[in-house]
Amino acid sequence: MTHQLVIVLDFGGQYNQLIARRVRDCGVYCEVLSYKTPIEEIKSRKPAGIIFTGGPNSVYDKTSPSISADIFSLGIPVLGICYGTQLIAHLLGGTVSTAPTSEYGKTETYYDCSCPLFEELPPKGISWMSHTDYIASLPDGFVSAAHTENCPTAAMQNKERGIYGVQFHPEVLHTENGVQMLHNFLYRVCGCTGDWTMKQYAETAVEEIRQKVGGKKVLLALSGGVDSSVAAALLSRAVGSQLTCIFVDHGLMRKNEGDEVENAFKDKEITFVRVNAEQRFLDRLAGVSEPESKRKIIGEEFIRVFEEEAKKIGAVDFLAQGTIYPDVIESGAGDAAVIKSHHNVGGLPDHVDFKEIIEPLRMLFKDEVRRLGTELGLPDYLVWRQPFPGPGLAIRVIGDITKEKLEILRDADYIFREEIANAGLDRSIHQYFAVLTSMRSVGVMGDFRTYDYTLALRGVTTTDFMTADWAKIPYEVLEKVSSRIVNEVKSINRIVYDITTKPPATIEWE
Ligand code: XMP
């Protein structure tokens, strides 16, 4: 390894990967290790710095996660965060006890700007607190470096030993200049030089995959979404022809999408299997209009097709998935793979013969996955693809599905997407698409009466897709989209724009 390393020691806090991600954002390579990692192992990795994370426990409880105080004798700078800071204080002879007033949320904080963590930052700002214990007395050699109204030690330092701690969470964006504080620790205290890039991340990940997989076979279900596409690109670079990607084209993709996915992967040194299963899906969906039934049918059929193809390949050692970190959080610790799969395709295949699951993206956040995809040479249309539901257009054709309705929707949706891109809005509106309603209404075209479908346009802005606002698309853009669709797509004579937030509506209509 040619780059510097910072170790994030995990004491059970909820923001551990976020800390790691902020360190990576600062251009420093970082790994999250359990607090149980032997000191000798930590030492042998020669980290430039160590960060103790937060955690839900109290340090004076004997069963709480802890570490030998020998870690402070390695001469490696340490930064504690929340519980991590309390632990440092406790291990070095300070006193931690229940705070007279616990602090939660945004808290006005005063910093000593001579402390390297706060150098060149404003002396006052909002920090994000979440603690019921506090440092009642500092260990020998330490001084307070920040305070709030209720917390005399919102940060502490021992400059000579290079040991620092903050009671608040610099990694969350609610803390003003928090990222800069981490940057200061890395650069001013640890002497990091910012020698790490996404290119190196890719190289390290490729090396790790090679070591794990050896000469064995890997199977991946490729949906064409960002995550599975980036996982495929990474695995193909690592193990080449040992990788087989199965792309089940259910015929419910957007216009040209199936071909785009195929084009991105057909020249790579992998076995790429595209299964054109449109007719199978249409047959099973014929006459079904209830949304949950449609979803269920698609999920089951997807698994069936995937299993059939996997059987042709025979036993594989690894089943790869594009699980990313937010999926891991959503599912709770331990069994992320199952949840992700449920979410996307309706369940893990029962009859696929594999020994182990491999998830090369499980430590990355979405925007990091996109950067990695670009680094691996994937085209922008895959890397910047907006989220697309597993059941595809089937849940954007309201009511029963026919091939004809899918074609109408595809053409209209394509125009909408094209005009959003032409207006330069394609990265600021987080998800946008057309919905073919089951409603028909009377219109007039030329001198004739028409009786055609109503198309709905939906555009949302959101950070987490759990809540969303409707996008304020400029009228001129909507006007152009509307006029193009009614003129260029047959069977649509009325267009409406969905102006509901989530909640109470959802993003998709079904
Ligand atoms: P809703 O409609 O629940 O959608 O507000 C939230 C986000 O999830 C996407 N979505 C899905 N994604 N499989 C997926 O992988 C699904 O079955 C599915 N249903 C909805 C939706 O597009 C939006 O981004």
Side-chain angles (χ1 to χ4, degrees), residues 295 340-346 386-392 395-396 430-431 433 458 460 462 464-468 502 505-510:
R295 282 174 175 273
K340 173 68 182 180
S341 205
H342 264 284
H343 186 65
N344 269 343
V345 296
Q386 44 171 321
F388 187 61
I395 56 166
R396 293 180 183 170
H430 302 115
Q431 199 172 6
F433 51 87
R458 179 85 162 131
V460 295
T462 172
D464 55 7
F465 295 89
M466 308 290 284
T467 60
K502 171 184 180 176
T506 51
I507 295 174
E508 304 287 349
W509 275 37
E510 286 196 338

Short mmCIF file of all heavy atoms in Angstrom, two decimals, residues 295 340-346 386-392 395-396 430-431 433 458 460 462 464-468 502 505-510, ligand 1:
data_model
loop_
_atom_site.label_atom_id
_atom_site.label_comp_id
_atom_site.label_asym_id
_atom_site.label_seq_id
_atom_site.Cartn_x
_atom_site.Cartn_y
_atom_site.Cartn_z
N ARG A 295 -46.37 -6.05 -8.70
CA ARG A 295 -45.04 -6.10 -8.10
C ARG A 295 -44.63 -7.52 -7.75
O ARG A 295 -43.50 -7.94 -7.99
CB ARG A 295 -45.01 -5.26 -6.82
CG ARG A 295 -44.90 -3.78 -7.03
CD ARG A 295 -45.02 -3.06 -5.70
NE ARG A 295 -44.80 -1.64 -5.85
CZ ARG A 295 -43.59 -1.05 -5.81
NH1 ARG A 295 -42.53 -1.77 -5.59
NH2 ARG A 295 -43.47 0.24 -5.98
N LYS A 340 -31.55 -5.98 0.53
CA LYS A 340 -31.32 -5.31 -0.75
C LYS A 340 -32.01 -6.07 -1.86
O LYS A 340 -32.68 -5.51 -2.71
CB LYS A 340 -29.82 -5.23 -1.01
CG LYS A 340 -29.45 -4.69 -2.37
CD LYS A 340 -29.82 -3.25 -2.49
CE LYS A 340 -29.51 -2.73 -3.87
NZ LYS A 340 -29.87 -1.34 -3.99
N SER A 341 -31.83 -7.35 -1.79
CA SER A 341 -32.38 -8.19 -2.82
C SER A 341 -33.91 -8.12 -2.82
O SER A 341 -34.55 -8.04 -3.85
CB SER A 341 -31.90 -9.60 -2.57
OG SER A 341 -31.92 -10.27 -3.76
N HIS A 342 -34.47 -8.12 -1.64
CA HIS A 342 -35.92 -8.00 -1.51
C HIS A 342 -36.38 -6.72 -2.18
O HIS A 342 -37.32 -6.69 -2.93
CB HIS A 342 -36.30 -7.90 -0.02
CG HIS A 342 -36.69 -9.21 0.55
ND1 HIS A 342 -37.90 -9.77 0.29
CD2 HIS A 342 -36.04 -10.06 1.36
CE1 HIS A 342 -37.98 -10.92 0.92
NE2 HIS A 342 -36.85 -11.13 1.57
N HIS A 343 -35.63 -5.67 -1.83
CA HIS A 343 -35.99 -4.35 -2.29
C HIS A 343 -35.98 -4.30 -3.82
O HIS A 343 -36.85 -3.73 -4.45
CB HIS A 343 -34.99 -3.36 -1.71
CG HIS A 343 -35.34 -1.95 -1.99
ND1 HIS A 343 -36.47 -1.37 -1.49
CD2 HIS A 343 -34.73 -1.00 -2.74
CE1 HIS A 343 -36.53 -0.13 -1.90
NE2 HIS A 343 -35.49 0.13 -2.66
N ASN A 344 -34.98 -4.92 -4.40
CA ASN A 344 -34.84 -4.78 -5.84
C ASN A 344 -35.55 -5.84 -6.66
O ASN A 344 -36.15 -5.54 -7.66
CB ASN A 344 -33.36 -4.84 -6.22
CG ASN A 344 -32.78 -3.46 -6.24
OD1 ASN A 344 -33.53 -2.49 -6.28
ND2 ASN A 344 -31.49 -3.37 -6.19
N VAL A 345 -35.44 -7.06 -6.25
CA VAL A 345 -35.94 -8.10 -7.14
C VAL A 345 -36.92 -9.04 -6.45
O VAL A 345 -37.37 -10.00 -7.07
CB VAL A 345 -34.79 -8.92 -7.78
CG1 VAL A 345 -33.95 -8.04 -8.67
CG2 VAL A 345 -33.93 -9.57 -6.74
N GLY A 346 -37.22 -8.78 -5.21
CA GLY A 346 -38.28 -9.56 -4.57
C GLY A 346 -37.80 -10.78 -3.83
O GLY A 346 -38.60 -11.62 -3.44
N GLN A 386 -30.89 8.02 -12.82
CA GLN A 386 -31.73 8.27 -11.64
C GLN A 386 -32.27 6.94 -11.13
O GLN A 386 -32.25 5.95 -11.85
CB GLN A 386 -32.85 9.25 -11.97
CG GLN A 386 -33.53 8.96 -13.28
CD GLN A 386 -34.77 9.81 -13.49
OE1 GLN A 386 -35.53 10.06 -12.57
NE2 GLN A 386 -34.98 10.23 -14.71
N PRO A 387 -32.73 6.91 -9.87
CA PRO A 387 -33.24 5.64 -9.36
C PRO A 387 -34.39 5.14 -10.24
O PRO A 387 -35.19 5.93 -10.73
CB PRO A 387 -33.78 5.99 -7.97
CG PRO A 387 -33.37 7.36 -7.67
CD PRO A 387 -32.86 8.00 -8.91
N PHE A 388 -34.41 3.86 -10.43
CA PHE A 388 -35.47 3.26 -11.26
C PHE A 388 -35.97 2.03 -10.52
O PHE A 388 -35.18 1.19 -10.11
CB PHE A 388 -34.87 2.88 -12.62
CG PHE A 388 -35.89 2.40 -13.62
CD1 PHE A 388 -36.93 3.25 -14.02
CD2 PHE A 388 -35.84 1.13 -14.15
CE1 PHE A 388 -37.88 2.82 -14.94
CE2 PHE A 388 -36.77 0.70 -15.08
CZ PHE A 388 -37.79 1.54 -15.47
N PRO A 389 -37.28 1.94 -10.29
CA PRO A 389 -37.78 0.84 -9.47
C PRO A 389 -37.59 -0.52 -10.14
O PRO A 389 -37.67 -0.62 -11.37
CB PRO A 389 -39.26 1.17 -9.31
CG PRO A 389 -39.58 2.05 -10.47
CD PRO A 389 -38.34 2.81 -10.79
N GLY A 390 -37.33 -1.54 -9.33
CA GLY A 390 -37.19 -2.90 -9.86
C GLY A 390 -38.32 -3.29 -10.82
O GLY A 390 -38.06 -3.81 -11.91
N PRO A 391 -39.58 -3.04 -10.47
CA PRO A 391 -40.67 -3.44 -11.36
C PRO A 391 -40.81 -2.56 -12.61
O PRO A 391 -41.67 -2.80 -13.45
CB PRO A 391 -41.94 -3.30 -10.49
CG PRO A 391 -41.46 -3.13 -9.10
CD PRO A 391 -40.09 -2.56 -9.16
N GLY A 392 -39.96 -1.55 -12.71
CA GLY A 392 -39.88 -0.77 -13.94
C GLY A 392 -41.17 -0.07 -14.31
O GLY A 392 -41.96 0.36 -13.45
N ILE A 395 -45.09 -0.28 -12.99
CA ILE A 395 -45.80 0.48 -11.95
C ILE A 395 -45.98 1.95 -12.35
O ILE A 395 -46.41 2.78 -11.56
CB ILE A 395 -45.11 0.36 -10.56
CG1 ILE A 395 -43.65 0.81 -10.62
CG2 ILE A 395 -45.21 -1.06 -10.03
CD1 ILE A 395 -43.03 1.03 -9.25
N ARG A 396 -45.65 2.22 -13.63
CA ARG A 396 -45.92 3.58 -14.15
C ARG A 396 -46.97 3.54 -15.24
O ARG A 396 -47.29 4.57 -15.83
CB ARG A 396 -44.63 4.22 -14.66
CG ARG A 396 -43.65 4.48 -13.52
CD ARG A 396 -42.37 5.10 -13.97
NE ARG A 396 -41.45 5.24 -12.84
CZ ARG A 396 -40.18 5.58 -12.97
NH1 ARG A 396 -39.66 5.82 -14.17
NH2 ARG A 396 -39.41 5.69 -11.89
N HIS A 430 -34.17 15.17 -8.75
CA HIS A 430 -33.56 13.89 -8.42
C HIS A 430 -34.23 12.70 -9.07
O HIS A 430 -33.62 11.67 -9.30
CB HIS A 430 -33.50 13.73 -6.90
CG HIS A 430 -32.72 14.85 -6.27
ND1 HIS A 430 -33.28 15.78 -5.44
CD2 HIS A 430 -31.43 15.23 -6.43
CE1 HIS A 430 -32.35 16.68 -5.09
NE2 HIS A 430 -31.23 16.35 -5.68
N GLN A 431 -35.50 12.82 -9.33
CA GLN A 431 -36.17 11.75 -10.06
C GLN A 431 -37.31 12.37 -10.85
O GLN A 431 -38.06 13.21 -10.33
CB GLN A 431 -36.71 10.70 -9.07
CG GLN A 431 -37.00 9.37 -9.74
CD GLN A 431 -37.34 8.26 -8.75
OE1 GLN A 431 -37.47 8.49 -7.55
NE2 GLN A 431 -37.51 7.06 -9.26
N PHE A 433 -40.17 11.41 -14.21
CA PHE A 433 -40.64 10.37 -15.13
C PHE A 433 -42.08 10.65 -15.51
O PHE A 433 -42.74 11.52 -14.92
CB PHE A 433 -40.52 8.99 -14.46
CG PHE A 433 -41.16 8.92 -13.10
CD1 PHE A 433 -42.51 8.62 -12.94
CD2 PHE A 433 -40.40 9.14 -11.94
CE1 PHE A 433 -43.09 8.54 -11.68
CE2 PHE A 433 -40.97 9.07 -10.67
CZ PHE A 433 -42.32 8.77 -10.54
N ARG A 458 -44.12 13.56 -13.43
CA ARG A 458 -43.75 13.65 -12.02
C ARG A 458 -42.28 14.05 -11.94
O ARG A 458 -41.45 13.49 -12.68
CB ARG A 458 -43.96 12.27 -11.38
CG ARG A 458 -43.60 12.17 -9.89
CD ARG A 458 -44.75 12.60 -9.05
NE ARG A 458 -44.71 12.19 -7.66
CZ ARG A 458 -44.91 13.05 -6.65
NH1 ARG A 458 -45.12 14.34 -6.88
NH2 ARG A 458 -44.94 12.62 -5.41
N VAL A 460 -39.40 15.14 -8.74
CA VAL A 460 -39.24 15.40 -7.30
C VAL A 460 -37.80 15.78 -6.96
O VAL A 460 -36.85 15.37 -7.62
CB VAL A 460 -39.64 14.18 -6.43
CG1 VAL A 460 -41.12 13.88 -6.57
CG2 VAL A 460 -38.78 12.96 -6.72
N THR A 462 -35.32 15.57 -3.54
CA THR A 462 -35.28 14.84 -2.27
C THR A 462 -33.84 14.58 -1.89
O THR A 462 -32.95 14.61 -2.76
CB THR A 462 -36.03 13.49 -2.41
OG1 THR A 462 -35.82 12.72 -1.22
CG2 THR A 462 -35.55 12.68 -3.60
N ASP A 464 -33.32 11.84 0.53
CA ASP A 464 -33.29 10.44 0.95
C ASP A 464 -34.40 9.58 0.33
O ASP A 464 -34.50 8.40 0.63
CB ASP A 464 -33.39 10.37 2.48
CG ASP A 464 -34.62 11.10 2.99
OD1 ASP A 464 -35.45 11.55 2.16
OD2 ASP A 464 -34.77 11.23 4.21
N PHE A 465 -35.24 10.16 -0.48
CA PHE A 465 -36.35 9.45 -1.13
C PHE A 465 -37.42 8.98 -0.13
O PHE A 465 -38.38 8.34 -0.52
CB PHE A 465 -35.86 8.29 -2.01
CG PHE A 465 -35.04 8.78 -3.18
CD1 PHE A 465 -33.67 8.96 -3.06
CD2 PHE A 465 -35.65 9.12 -4.37
CE1 PHE A 465 -32.90 9.47 -4.12
CE2 PHE A 465 -34.90 9.62 -5.44
CZ PHE A 465 -33.53 9.78 -5.31
N MET A 466 -37.20 9.28 1.16
CA MET A 466 -38.23 8.94 2.15
C MET A 466 -39.28 10.05 2.19
O MET A 466 -40.45 9.81 2.43
CB MET A 466 -37.62 8.82 3.56
CG MET A 466 -36.44 7.88 3.64
SD MET A 466 -36.95 6.18 3.44
CE MET A 466 -37.66 5.88 5.04
N THR A 467 -38.80 11.28 2.01
CA THR A 467 -39.70 12.41 1.84
C THR A 467 -39.27 13.10 0.55
O THR A 467 -38.13 12.95 0.12
CB THR A 467 -39.58 13.42 3.00
OG1 THR A 467 -38.23 13.89 3.01
CG2 THR A 467 -39.90 12.79 4.34
N ALA A 468 -40.20 13.82 -0.06
CA ALA A 468 -39.83 14.47 -1.32
C ALA A 468 -40.73 15.66 -1.56
O ALA A 468 -41.87 15.70 -1.11
CB ALA A 468 -39.94 13.49 -2.48
N LYS A 502 -44.30 14.03 -0.97
CA LYS A 502 -44.32 12.75 -0.26
C LYS A 502 -43.88 13.03 1.17
O LYS A 502 -42.79 13.57 1.35
CB LYS A 502 -43.35 11.78 -0.91
CG LYS A 502 -43.17 10.50 -0.09
CD LYS A 502 -42.14 9.56 -0.67
CE LYS A 502 -42.01 8.32 0.21
NZ LYS A 502 -41.11 7.32 -0.34
N ALA A 505 -48.41 11.75 -0.76
CA ALA A 505 -48.30 10.86 -1.92
C ALA A 505 -46.98 10.09 -1.81
O ALA A 505 -46.15 10.39 -0.95
CB ALA A 505 -48.31 11.68 -3.20
N THR A 506 -46.78 9.11 -2.66
CA THR A 506 -45.46 8.50 -2.78
C THR A 506 -44.84 9.04 -4.07
O THR A 506 -45.52 9.75 -4.83
CB THR A 506 -45.53 6.97 -2.84
OG1 THR A 506 -46.48 6.61 -3.84
CG2 THR A 506 -45.92 6.38 -1.50
N ILE A 507 -43.60 8.71 -4.32
CA ILE A 507 -42.96 9.20 -5.54
C ILE A 507 -43.56 8.49 -6.75
O ILE A 507 -44.03 9.12 -7.70
CB ILE A 507 -41.43 9.01 -5.48
CG1 ILE A 507 -40.86 9.89 -4.34
CG2 ILE A 507 -40.78 9.37 -6.80
CD1 ILE A 507 -39.39 9.70 -4.05
N GLU A 508 -43.54 7.18 -6.72
CA GLU A 508 -44.19 6.41 -7.79
C GLU A 508 -45.70 6.46 -7.57
O GLU A 508 -46.17 6.66 -6.45
CB GLU A 508 -43.72 4.94 -7.76
CG GLU A 508 -42.22 4.74 -7.84
CD GLU A 508 -41.66 5.02 -9.23
OE1 GLU A 508 -42.45 5.15 -10.19
OE2 GLU A 508 -40.42 5.12 -9.33
N TRP A 509 -46.44 6.21 -8.65
CA TRP A 509 -47.90 6.24 -8.50
C TRP A 509 -48.45 4.90 -8.02
O TRP A 509 -49.59 4.82 -7.60
CB TRP A 509 -48.54 6.63 -9.84
CG TRP A 509 -48.61 8.13 -10.02
CD1 TRP A 509 -47.68 9.03 -9.62
CD2 TRP A 509 -49.66 8.87 -10.63
NE1 TRP A 509 -48.09 10.31 -9.94
CE2 TRP A 509 -49.30 10.24 -10.57
CE3 TRP A 509 -50.85 8.53 -11.24
CZ2 TRP A 509 -50.09 11.26 -11.09
CZ3 TRP A 509 -51.66 9.54 -11.77
CH2 TRP A 509 -51.28 10.89 -11.67
N GLU A 510 -47.69 3.83 -8.18
CA GLU A 510 -48.19 2.53 -7.72
C GLU A 510 -47.18 1.89 -6.79
O GLU A 510 -45.98 2.13 -6.93
CB GLU A 510 -48.44 1.59 -8.90
CG GLU A 510 -49.68 1.96 -9.69
CD GLU A 510 -50.13 0.82 -10.60
OE1 GLU A 510 -49.31 -0.04 -10.94
OE2 GLU A 510 -51.32 0.81 -10.97
P1 XMP B 1 -41.96 5.64 -3.37
O1 XMP B 1 -42.86 5.44 -4.54
O2 XMP B 1 -42.12 4.58 -2.33
O3 XMP B 1 -40.49 5.48 -3.94
O4 XMP B 1 -42.07 7.00 -2.80
C1 XMP B 1 -39.31 5.79 -3.24
C2 XMP B 1 -38.14 5.46 -4.14
O5 XMP B 1 -38.04 4.03 -4.29
C3 XMP B 1 -38.14 3.68 -5.65
N1 XMP B 1 -38.89 2.43 -5.73
C4 XMP B 1 -38.33 1.22 -5.86
N2 XMP B 1 -37.05 0.85 -5.99
N3 XMP B 1 -37.69 -1.42 -6.17
C5 XMP B 1 -36.73 -0.47 -6.15
O6 XMP B 1 -35.55 -0.81 -6.28
C6 XMP B 1 -39.01 -1.14 -6.03
O7 XMP B 1 -39.86 -2.01 -6.04
C7 XMP B 1 -39.35 0.26 -5.88
N4 XMP B 1 -40.52 0.93 -5.73
C8 XMP B 1 -40.21 2.25 -5.63
C9 XMP B 1 -38.83 4.85 -6.32
O8 XMP B 1 -38.54 4.92 -7.71
C10 XMP B 1 -38.26 6.01 -5.53
O9 XMP B 1 -36.97 6.34 -5.98
#
